[in-house]
Amino acid sequence: MASELEPEVQAIDRSLLECSAEEIAGKWLQATDLTREVYQHLAHYVPKIYCRGPNPLPQKEDMLAQHVLLGPMEWYLCGEDPAFGFPKLEQANKPSHLCGRVFKVGEPTYSCRDCAVDPTCVLCMECFLGSIHRDHRYRMTTSGGGGFCDCGDTEAWKEGPYCQKHELNTSEIEEEEDPLVHLSEDVIARTYNIFAIMFRYAVEILTWEKESELPADLEMVEKSDTYYCMLFNDEVHTYEQVIYTLQKAVNCTQKEAIGFATTVDRDGRRSVRYGDFQYCEQAKSVIVRNTSRQTKPLKVQVMHSSIVAHQNFGLKLLSWLGSIIGYSDGLRRILCQVGLQEGPDGENSSLVDRLMLSDSKLWKGARSVYHQLFMSSLLMDLKYKKLFAVRFAKNYERLQSDYVTDDHDREFSVADLSVQIFTVPSLARMLITEENLMSIIIKTFMDHLRHRDAHGRFQFERYTALQAFKFRRVQSLILDLKYVLISKPTEWSDELRQKFLEGFDAFLELLKCMQGMDPITRQVGQHIEMEPEWEAAFTLQMKLTHVISMMQDWCASDEKVLIEAYKKCLTVLMQCHGGYTDGEQPITLSICGHSVETIRYCVSQEKVSIHLPVSRLLAGLHVLLSKSEVAYKFPELLPLSELSPPMLIEHPLRCLVLCAQVHAGMWRRNGFSLVNQIYYYHNVKCRREMFDKDIVMLQTGVSMMDPNHFLMIMLSRFELYQIFSTPDYGKRFSSEITHKDVVQQNNTLIEEMLYLIIMLVGERFSPGVGQVNATDEIKREIIHQLSIKPMAHSELVKSLPEDENKETGMESVIEAVAHFKKPGLTGRGMYELKPECAKEFNLYFYHFSRAEQSKAEEAQRKMKRQNREDTALPPPVLPPFCPLFASLVNILQSDVMLCIMGTILQWAVEHNGYAWSESMLQRVLHLIGMALQEEKQHLENVTEEHVVTFTFTQKISKPGEAPKNSPSILAMLETLQNAPYLEVHKDMIRWILKTFNAVKKMRESSPTSPVAETEGTIMEESSRDKDKAERKRKAEIARLRREKIMAQMSEMQRHFIDENKELFQQTLELDASTSAVLDNSPVVSDMTLTALGPTQTQVPEQRQFVTCILCQEEQEVKVESRAMVLAAFVQRSTVLSKNRSKFIQDPEKYDPLFMHPDLSCGTHTSSCGHIMHAHCWQRRKWICVSLWMKKRVFTVG
């Protein structure tokens, strides 16, 4: 068929070449109905130029289109030869200070990390090399296509918005100047006419949905009977499926099918058959049939060749418009006016609206062309950029719905233009205020997540593949919300406050649907059969992490907004958990004379959720009240008196108990889904708005309630209340051998509970919780990461949380805490922690995993041993709490806390009677150390008008009261100091006792301490009772020490006998045989041995065994055995000198073993008495030398 059409094509080509663009333009200038004239011209010539055969000829088509179709338009627009007209327009134009270069796929882009307002602000290579940013910290990436250079946009850069090329024009530009003033009225009128006709034609033909007939204005008199079978791209079918289908449908070779498939994927559509309607319909039916078995079929249309021709020219026309407006900003302004002018149908009838709303119906190539036209026109004109932004916001819900149901990637959707609009701070504020954009985005997002449970929470567990596909696409709306919030306002208007708070209400509704979603129950008995869906909920949480942080930043920038947001968040939390008791039975807990009413709730038996975004948002806002000092300035405006601390702490505490029980192995039967959730809960990607905020919420609750009450509630939730409230419960429980697993679980839970208390008191490096700034926070993170091991830059960055601008803040502080060790020939450069920063190391840093904590502990102890220091790892000195959280330290000196500490120390003292662990004891020692450090700081910072109320040293010195009469915590520490089974903790106990004495001296010397004054009064009134109590305490210590020593000796004896059963058996047999021999022999006294006469008595040889001090090998002393030696120190001695006045001339050559007759000096030999093998001495001589002497004379005796 192609060979038959070739002569005809050539003939048409010759006739088309005879057309005169100048004559056609002249005819148009004189026409009374220009639209009709132009449409007739297009109707006649477009089908003769485009789509004349099965294979397109793009070069020939473009050449003819320029000559016959575009040439007359250019002549008409210029009113003269375009070769002269366009240069004149360009010369009269005042060039834009915006670069606006549209990036191609794979083109390099540059973003300044110091000056860019957000990471989406980028420069092309030319502008970057000519800007000040080349000397800053920058990030280089490759473009995915579709964006444009932000050079010249003052809202995109904090500094240096212009490069050298665009800076030249800034002094000449007046911001409010209308670019149309540089064009004559005739040019404006002609441009408006031709742009209006051409733009309307392109939009009409590209959005045309009929396959066999054209619009009435474009219908030809003589219509050919030729059609195309047009195959469209989708993101469902694979290359292999398309190639195989095409080979069957159009009988082509594999190479031809690959070419078709490649073009379809690149451009969005391709004709695969050319001929009459029946011929093309046959191919269509084969394609549909072969691709509809498992998924929806490939989209195929049989289209008349004239429709395809006009659509191809429509794309060419849009590209032409984009190039023409580059000659003059006035032309760009006219095109924008034409595009946004409302049509006769009212709302959404402008050409721009029609294109946007038809986006999902267009093929990939058409989308790309008109997107680029929008970027080079609407987005480059500041006036019409705002108008376009309003139209985009009004159609936002429709555009996003079209995108979600579409299957093309976001980069090919008009919805992707949101990044070009929402990241402009002035446009974002305007859209929030005028169009309520925040609420629109959030409500649109929620409308697509309609799968809820009975409580209105999101439910992902039964998601189908289609729902999962929609969920992935709808996540882009969260990205749009991030774009809107990425730049915080510096000035607030009443309208902005109102609309932001409306958006905040919508955001709270979103978080409310997440609060408590995906609840889990502990699996008992058999393992869970099917792993539940958990990834969707965590994906949503991760996507929202930065949005939640930015919401808090916006609230923090205005006091009125912060107060209102706090009230709203608290109200929603009370709606979620107003009945936080969940219908559970109320109970009363009592320890040490303190009682609290709570509920009976077992995490191991009830439902518990790890998703608590409303609670965590409230925690973040509460910290901001402290950081911004709003809580102290306007307490009457805040509902702090309405807060219920038990309600605030309940759900975060359950979540942390869940983590503890998982670590204790109580949830093994729930499978890997729960393990993964716990991992991500602590992971650097999620922890800032999950784990960290749960700790803050507990700190918030504890700071507002009696610490004794909190500790009792915590013991109840950890299911440990019975152990610490019942005397000797632990002893009775550990005696039951059948409960070994439960004992181990309880030990782990106690360790986790103590760890949580350490975190609550010690984690005060968040600005607002402690008196620190953001720099201190990042410093501490880096110090603890480098405490594990030296790290490369990339490794260290991965371990630190990123903000919304993908920055960690590491570069600003790294030099203060670390040295950079340059790489050698191989390997990487490493950051090593500065020695002076080691004192800030906290063994129980809350972002350590268990493996990291173990490695860090080992590394720090090793370093201390190398520095010849004791291996104690005391808690570091901490910054003071902010006033809103100051009462947190009272946990350490509360009665229940002292009871917990004393109970565990008692277990350690009587270590055989209880089930306890060294890890448990280590945490108690750490808590005691923290309390001593706290009291020391209070005493150091005390002023005359203030009194020290933190009296931990006083409380740990008092013994327990009757009837228990337990020793004091201090007495038990002194006892444990000498315990042989706690060798590794001795240094820490010594440090505690040393610090205790130092604090005690400070308190005694402090004139402002009320305790000291009170003590003096009491001592004067009842000194006898004091002496009696002291004698009793010392007697108790002595008794405990004696009992412990006897118990240790008994235990060592029993252990030795168990270890050497065979030896004891041999000894018994030897004793029996020896006594039998002695019974038949004459009795011989050891003191009167005789060896005379023919029947001389056999004298038994004394066997001697010695142990080598170096290799610890035992050996009998015999002539044939290996040589054993002693190390001795030989020196000159004048103790018994007869001639002390004699001076030795050359002492180096003087033989110390030779004694001169004048007896001026003698030789003195001393030895430590340690025996060793001669070969061990030779191999390890340097050890002995370094240990025993320096620059001495050694010999072996």
Side-chain angles (χ1 to χ4, degrees):
M1 186 177 290
S3 60
E4 296 173 3
L5 292 171
E6 191 64 30
E8 184 183 350
V9 170
Q10 292 174 357
I12 292 174
D13 286 350
R14 285 191 295 271
S15 67
L16 290 173
L17 291 173
E18 294 174 359
C19 291
S20 170
E22 185 178 0
E23 292 178 5
I24 296 170
K27 183 180 175 183
W28 289 354
L29 284 168
Q30 297 174 1
T32 55
D33 189 350
L34 180 61
T35 304
R36 182 170 172 274
E37 287 291 335
V38 173
Y39 267 62
Q40 284 182 353
H41 182 75
L42 297 178
H44 180 73
Y45 284 106
V46 168
K48 294 184 178 183
I49 295 174
Y50 288 94
C51 304
R52 299 294 296 167
N55 298 313
L57 300 169
Q59 291 181 343
K60 183 180 290 186
E61 291 172 351
D62 289 347
M63 185 265 294
L64 291 172
Q66 179 62 39
H67 179 68
V68 179
L69 303 175
L70 301 179
M73 298 177 196
E74 294 175 357
W75 272 87
Y76 177 86
L77 189 149
C78 296
E80 60 180 324
D81 189 345
F84 301 107
F86 285 140
K88 288 179 182 178
L89 289 174
E90 199 168 12
Q91 189 175 4
N93 183 49
K94 294 288 186 180
S96 172
H97 59 283
L98 297 173
C99 174
R101 175 189 174 91
V102 178
F103 297 120
K104 298 176 182 177
V105 176
E107 186 174 351
T109 63
Y110 300 83
S111 178
C112 181
R113 296 171 61 192
D114 297 323
C115 304
V117 171
D118 63 75
T120 65
C121 301
V122 292
L123 297 172
C124 63
M125 181 184 289
E126 184 181 0
C127 292
F128 173 75
L129 294 177
S131 71
I132 63 172
H133 307 296
R134 64 180 299 176
D135 299 322
H136 297 174
R137 297 181 307 137
Y138 64 89
R139 182 183 290 109
M140 179 181 174
T141 55
T142 55
S143 173
F148 60 84
C149 177
D150 291 303
C151 183
D153 185 353
T154 54
E155 290 194 83
W157 309 98
K158 302 172 187 173
E159 184 183 356
Y162 306 104
C163 69
Q164 294 173 356
K165 176 181 176 182
H166 298 102
E167 195 169 19
L168 299 174
N169 309 312
T170 56
S171 60
E172 306 168 11
I173 292 286
E174 295 181 13
E175 288 191 13
E176 300 301 324
E177 184 181 30
D178 189 344
L180 296 178
V181 298
H182 303 295
L183 300 178
S184 65
E185 292 184 5
D186 290 344
V187 171
I188 293 173
R190 290 196 302 270
T191 304
Y192 191 89
N193 290 337
I194 200 68
F195 278 5
I197 295 169
M198 291 296 98
F199 204 175
R200 184 172 76 86
Y201 162 79
V203 172
E204 188 174 8
I205 198 64
L206 290 176
T207 58
W208 190 253
E209 296 183 6
K210 295 181 180 180
E211 301 175 7
S212 300
E213 58 180 274
L214 283 164
D217 296 340
L218 297 173
E219 279 288 3
M220 297 183 296
V221 179
E222 297 179 2
K223 189 175 179 182
S224 63
D225 187 27
T226 53
Y227 290 82
Y228 285 102
C229 180
M230 193 68 70
L231 177 64
F232 290 83
N233 177 62
D234 68 16
E235 302 299 330
V236 177
H237 296 89
T238 63
Y239 257 95
E240 290 75 14
Q241 289 175 312
V242 176
I243 292 168
Y244 173 75
T245 301
L246 287 175
Q247 285 180 277
K248 292 186 68 177
V250 297
N251 296 323
C252 61
T253 64
Q254 185 181 27
K255 184 177 180 180
E256 290 173 327
I258 292 173
F260 287 147
T262 303
T263 306
V264 168
D265 183 63
R266 184 188 68 235
D267 299 336
R269 74 176 190 179
R270 173 69 160 88
S271 62
V272 295
R273 177 167 282 185
Y274 176 72
D276 58 29
F277 181 82
Q278 194 64 34
Y279 187 55
C280 294
E281 185 67 27
Q282 181 186 0
K284 174 184 175 180
S285 61
V286 175
I287 293 172
V288 170
R289 186 170 63 250
N290 278 275
T291 56
S292 60
R293 291 170 185 169
Q294 296 178 344
T295 57
K296 68 176 185 178
L298 279 166
K299 182 181 177 182
V300 193
Q301 288 181 350
V302 177
M303 304 175 67
H304 195 276
S305 59
S306 61
I307 295 177
V308 178
H310 279 284
Q311 288 184 341
N312 287 354
F313 178 65
L315 294 182
K316 178 67 177 176
L317 195 57
L318 291 180
S319 299
W320 176 79
L321 287 171
S323 63
I324 289 298
I325 62 177
Y327 290 114
S328 169
D329 285 353
L331 300 182
R332 176 182 291 112
R333 174 64 61 88
I334 293 171
L335 183 64
C336 293
Q337 290 175 354
V338 169
L340 288 173
Q341 185 176 6
E342 289 289 346
D345 299 331
E347 191 176 6
N348 292 336
S349 62
S350 71
L351 297 175
V352 168
D353 286 326
R354 288 175 61 185
L355 270 178
M356 286 196 298
L357 297 176
S358 301
D359 185 76
S360 61
K361 299 175 184 176
L362 298 178
W363 62 100
K364 190 186 294 185
R367 297 185 192 189
S368 299
V369 170
Y370 93 80
H371 292 171
Q372 290 193 8
L373 179 62
F374 280 8
M375 281 189 282
S376 60
S377 58
L378 295 167
L379 297 181
M380 289 291 290
D381 189 299
L382 296 181
K383 176 182 177 182
Y384 281 90
K385 188 175 186 177
K386 290 183 179 180
L387 297 176
F388 174 65
V390 172
R391 299 307 313 153
F392 188 87
K394 286 185 181 296
N395 291 314
Y396 183 82
E397 188 173 355
R398 168 90 176 270
L399 295 177
Q400 294 298 335
S401 298
D402 289 346
Y403 165 68
V404 170
T405 55
D406 188 24
D407 66 350
H408 281 62
D409 293 336
R410 187 170 173 82
E411 64 196 73
F412 299 109
S413 170
V414 71
D416 195 44
L417 291 180
S418 61
V419 67
Q420 309 296 343
I421 300 170
F422 297 162
T423 54
V424 180
S426 60
L427 290 183
R429 309 277 189 282
M430 186 250 313
L431 294 175
I432 291 174
T433 306
E434 297 179 9
E435 302 298 328
N436 206 4
L437 181 62
M438 280 179 60
S439 299
I440 290 174
I441 294 175
I442 296 168
K443 288 176 181 176
T444 304
F445 177 76
M446 293 183 66
D447 285 343
H448 289 286
L449 295 180
R450 293 176 181 163
H451 203 57
R452 315 278 173 89
D453 64 10
H455 300 283
R457 299 175 296 207
F458 292 139
Q459 192 170 16
F460 299 103
E461 58 187 31
R462 294 184 181 88
Y463 253 38
T464 63
L466 178 61
Q467 288 171 323
F469 172 77
K470 281 184 62 178
F471 179 64
R472 285 195 298 272
R473 296 180 76 80
V474 83
Q475 289 169 27
S476 61
L477 277 79
I478 300 175
L479 200 59
D480 285 346
L481 187 58
K482 179 181 173 183
Y483 291 150
V484 172
L485 297 170
I486 205 162
S487 179
K488 295 182 287 293
T490 53
E491 295 180 4
W492 287 79
S493 64
D494 290 339
E495 294 81 7
L496 182 59
R497 286 191 186 94
Q498 179 187 349
K499 294 298 181 180
F500 173 77
L501 288 172
E502 285 182 24
F504 189 78
D505 282 332
F507 189 65
L508 286 174
E509 283 300 312
L510 169 61
L511 298 188
K512 186 178 178 181
C513 293
M514 296 171 61
Q515 182 86 354
M517 66 179 174
D518 282 359
I520 48 179
T521 309
R522 183 184 174 208
Q523 192 76 12
V524 182
Q526 62 182 11
H527 197 280
I528 194 168
E529 294 181 1
M530 183 180 294
E531 295 279 351
E533 166 62 42
W534 64 273
E535 294 180 19
F538 262 89
T539 300
L540 180 57
Q541 175 66 47
M542 280 191 272
K543 294 287 184 183
L544 283 172
T545 295
H546 290 315
V547 175
I548 295 172
S549 298
M550 287 187 281
M551 279 283 189
Q552 294 173 38
D553 292 341
W554 274 58
C555 293
S557 63
D558 186 76
E559 292 177 346
K560 293 181 181 177
V561 172
L562 178 58
I563 293 170
E564 288 302 315
Y566 187 83
K567 290 179 180 177
K568 290 175 181 293
C569 190
L570 180 60
T571 302
V572 171
L573 182 63
M574 293 175 73
Q575 290 172 4
C576 292
H577 303 302
Y580 80 95
T581 57
D582 297 333
E584 294 292 337
Q585 178 185 354
I587 57 171
T588 301
L589 307 174
S590 298
I591 298 180
C592 301
H594 298 275
S595 297
V596 63
E597 292 185 358
T598 182
I599 57 167
R600 188 186 303 280
Y601 186 92
C602 293
V603 174
S604 60
Q605 298 174 13
E606 308 291 339
K607 285 186 176 182
V608 61
S609 173
I610 209 167
H611 298 284
L612 305 167
V614 179
S615 301
R616 292 160 187 160
L617 178 58
L618 183 68
L621 295 175
H622 192 84
V623 170
L624 292 177
L625 291 178
S626 171
K627 182 181 176 181
S628 62
E629 299 185 353
V630 171
Y632 320 124
K633 294 178 185 175
F634 312 106
E636 69 282 356
L637 300 178
L638 293 167
L640 297 179
S641 59
E642 301 174 15
L643 292 175
S644 168
M647 185 269 287
L648 295 180
I649 67 170
E650 182 65 30
H651 289 273
L653 181 57
R654 291 179 189 179
C655 190
L656 290 163
V657 171
L658 169 67
C659 296
Q661 291 183 352
V662 169
H663 294 146
M666 296 171 62
W667 291 69
R668 287 196 188 98
R669 292 183 173 87
N670 284 70
F672 284 106
S673 63
L674 179 57
V675 175
N676 291 329
Q677 289 184 67
I678 300 299
Y679 168 78
Y680 277 104
Y681 174 73
H682 292 96
N683 186 265
V684 67
K685 292 182 180 179
C686 298
R687 71 185 181 211
R688 176 171 281 183
E689 293 301 330
M690 294 189 80
F691 171 64
D692 292 5
K693 286 295 191 293
D694 282 345
I695 297 296
V696 171
M697 182 52 95
L698 286 185
Q699 290 175 320
T700 301
V702 177
S703 65
M704 294 186 287
M705 63 189 297
D706 186 332
N708 294 294
H709 294 173
F710 166 73
L711 289 171
M712 285 188 283
I713 292 173
M714 186 170 66
L715 284 170
S716 175
R717 296 297 173 268
F718 272 89
E719 300 173 30
L720 300 171
Y721 173 74
Q722 198 71 20
I723 293 177
F724 289 96
S725 63
T726 307
D728 293 332
Y729 179 85
K731 192 168 188 176
R732 295 202 310 272
F733 189 74
S734 64
S735 64
E736 300 178 20
I737 303 174
T738 55
H739 290 290
K740 282 187 177 179
D741 288 343
V742 180
V743 169
Q744 182 59 46
Q745 287 175 2
N746 281 338
N747 283 352
T748 304
L749 290 176
I750 293 171
E751 293 166 11
E752 291 295 319
M753 183 190 69
L754 295 171
Y755 186 23
L756 178 56
I757 297 172
I758 292 171
M759 288 189 285
L760 294 180
V761 181
E763 295 308 326
R764 50 182 88 171
F765 278 81
S766 297
V769 176
Q771 297 178 26
V772 295
N773 54 38
T775 303
D776 298 325
E777 187 177 11
I778 191 66
K779 269 186 184 178
R780 186 167 182 254
E781 290 280 350
I782 294 173
I783 286 171
H784 284 86
Q785 289 300 325
L786 295 180
S787 297
I788 303 170
K789 62 176 182 179
M791 288 185 178
H793 184 276
S794 58
E795 190 178 6
L796 190 54
V797 167
K798 287 179 183 177
S799 66
L800 300 173
E802 291 182 342
D803 63 10
E804 62 273 11
N805 292 326
K806 299 182 180 178
E807 295 289 342
T808 61
M810 186 186 85
E811 286 87 349
S812 60
V813 300
I814 187 67
E815 292 183 0
V817 298
H819 297 294
F820 184 70
K821 187 176 180 182
K822 295 183 179 179
L825 296 176
T826 58
R828 300 176 295 175
M830 295 286 187
Y831 284 111
E832 291 183 347
L833 187 66
K834 288 183 177 180
E836 60 267 25
C837 295
K839 64 183 180 182
E840 298 180 41
F841 172 74
N842 179 6
L843 177 59
Y844 295 101
F845 177 58
Y846 72 148
H847 288 160
F848 276 159
S849 66
R850 271 156 185 71
E852 289 171 341
Q853 184 188 41
S854 178
K855 290 177 183 176
E857 180 179 8
E858 185 179 351
Q860 294 304 304
R861 290 192 191 279
K862 182 179 179 181
M863 184 182 71
K864 283 179 172 284
R865 284 193 293 268
Q866 290 173 348
N867 296 336
R868 297 179 180 275
E869 302 173 5
D870 62 52
T871 57
L873 296 174
V877 177
L878 298 172
F881 276 115
C882 290
L884 205 59
F885 293 89
S887 61
L888 265 170
V889 296
N890 291 324
I891 294 181
L892 296 172
Q893 62 170 354
S894 64
D895 293 340
V896 177
M897 186 73 248
L898 294 171
C899 171
I900 294 171
M901 290 178 178
T903 302
I904 294 173
L905 290 174
Q906 186 72 32
W907 294 348
V909 169
E910 303 176 18
H911 65 284
N912 291 324
Y914 294 90
W916 63 286
S917 66
E918 288 194 25
S919 182
M920 194 188 300
L921 175 65
Q922 190 176 12
R923 284 161 167 77
V924 168
L925 296 177
H926 193 89
L927 281 166
I928 294 172
M930 290 176 72
L932 292 173
Q933 292 275 41
E934 197 70 39
E935 186 169 354
K936 186 178 179 182
Q937 281 184 276
H938 282 212
L939 290 169
E940 288 173 348
N941 301 326
V942 70
T943 56
E944 290 187 5
E945 60 270 15
H946 292 91
V947 294
V948 178
T949 57
F950 195 84
T951 58
F952 182 76
T953 52
Q954 195 66 26
K955 292 183 178 181
I956 64 172
S957 304
K958 296 178 181 178
E961 298 178 358
K964 195 174 180 182
N965 291 328
S966 61
S968 67
I969 291 176
L970 182 63
M972 287 188 282
L973 286 172
E974 290 174 346
T975 304
L976 292 172
Q977 184 182 5
N978 301 312
Y981 53 89
L982 295 178
E983 192 68 33
V984 71
H985 301 299
K986 282 187 177 178
D987 286 341
M988 184 63 186
I989 296 173
R990 277 196 289 267
W991 178 87
I992 288 173
L993 295 174
K994 181 181 176 182
T995 307
F996 172 84
N997 291 327
V999 173
K1000 188 176 179 183
K1001 288 180 181 177
M1002 289 178 65
R1003 183 169 287 284
E1004 290 170 353
S1005 62
S1006 174
T1008 60
S1009 172
V1011 178
E1013 296 172 7
T1014 309
E1015 274 183 39
T1017 308
I1018 294 173
M1019 286 176 67
E1020 290 174 2
E1021 293 177 355
S1022 56
S1023 58
R1024 293 180 183 178
D1025 293 341
K1026 276 281 183 184
D1027 293 341
K1028 186 177 180 181
E1030 185 65 19
R1031 285 197 302 272
K1032 180 181 177 182
R1033 185 180 71 82
K1034 290 182 179 179
E1036 181 66 21
I1037 293 173
R1039 182 186 68 79
L1040 287 172
R1041 187 177 290 117
R1042 285 196 303 272
E1043 289 181 358
K1044 186 197 295 183
I1045 291 171
M1046 294 302 294
Q1048 288 172 3
M1049 291 175 63
S1050 175
E1051 175 65 18
M1052 291 169 67
Q1053 182 180 16
R1054 185 189 63 75
H1055 181 70
F1056 183 77
I1057 292 173
D1058 290 343
E1059 290 279 321
N1060 300 277
K1061 286 183 178 178
E1062 294 182 3
L1063 179 63
F1064 270 82
Q1065 189 65 32
Q1066 292 171 4
T1067 305
L1068 291 173
E1069 292 173 358
L1070 181 64
D1071 289 346
S1073 60
T1074 305
S1075 51
V1077 171
L1078 291 175
D1079 287 344
N1080 298 324
S1081 304
V1083 178
V1084 180
S1085 170
D1086 289 341
M1087 298 303 295
T1088 56
L1089 293 175
T1090 56
L1092 300 173
T1095 58
Q1096 61 186 357
T1097 309
Q1098 292 291 328
V1099 181
E1101 294 183 7
Q1102 293 290 331
R1103 300 175 66 188
Q1104 184 181 3
F1105 292 87
V1106 292
T1107 302
C1108 174
I1109 192 65
L1110 294 177
C1111 70
Q1112 294 297 307
E1113 181 182 334
E1114 190 178 43
Q1115 178 180 308
E1116 186 177 359
V1117 178
K1118 290 184 179 180
V1119 176
E1120 62 272 18
S1121 299
R1122 286 179 294 176
M1124 307 290 286
V1125 298
L1126 295 171
F1129 174 41
V1130 180
Q1131 61 179 340
R1132 291 187 298 276
S1133 173
T1134 58
V1135 174
L1136 301 176
S1137 174
K1138 299 295 184 181
N1139 184 9
R1140 294 181 184 274
S1141 60
K1142 182 177 179 179
F1143 179 72
I1144 299 172
Q1145 296 294 331
D1146 192 358
E1148 295 295 331
K1149 295 183 179 179
Y1150 185 81
D1151 186 358
L1153 299 180
F1154 171 75
M1155 186 179 293
H1156 197 273
D1158 65 1
L1159 304 178
S1160 59
C1161 64
T1163 301
H1164 179 267
T1165 304
S1166 60
S1167 172
C1168 61
H1170 292 129
I1171 302 172
M1172 60 195 127
H1173 290 113
H1175 69 276
C1176 290
W1177 157 259
Q1178 292 297 332
R1179 282 190 303 176
R1180 297 178 174 86
K1181 185 187 298 183
W1182 63 273
I1183 299 177
C1184 302
V1185 172
S1186 63
L1187 288 175
W1188 288 331
M1189 304 301 296
K1190 293 180 179 179
K1191 296 182 181 179
R1192 303 291 188 180
V1193 180
F1194 283 87
T1195 188
V1196 177

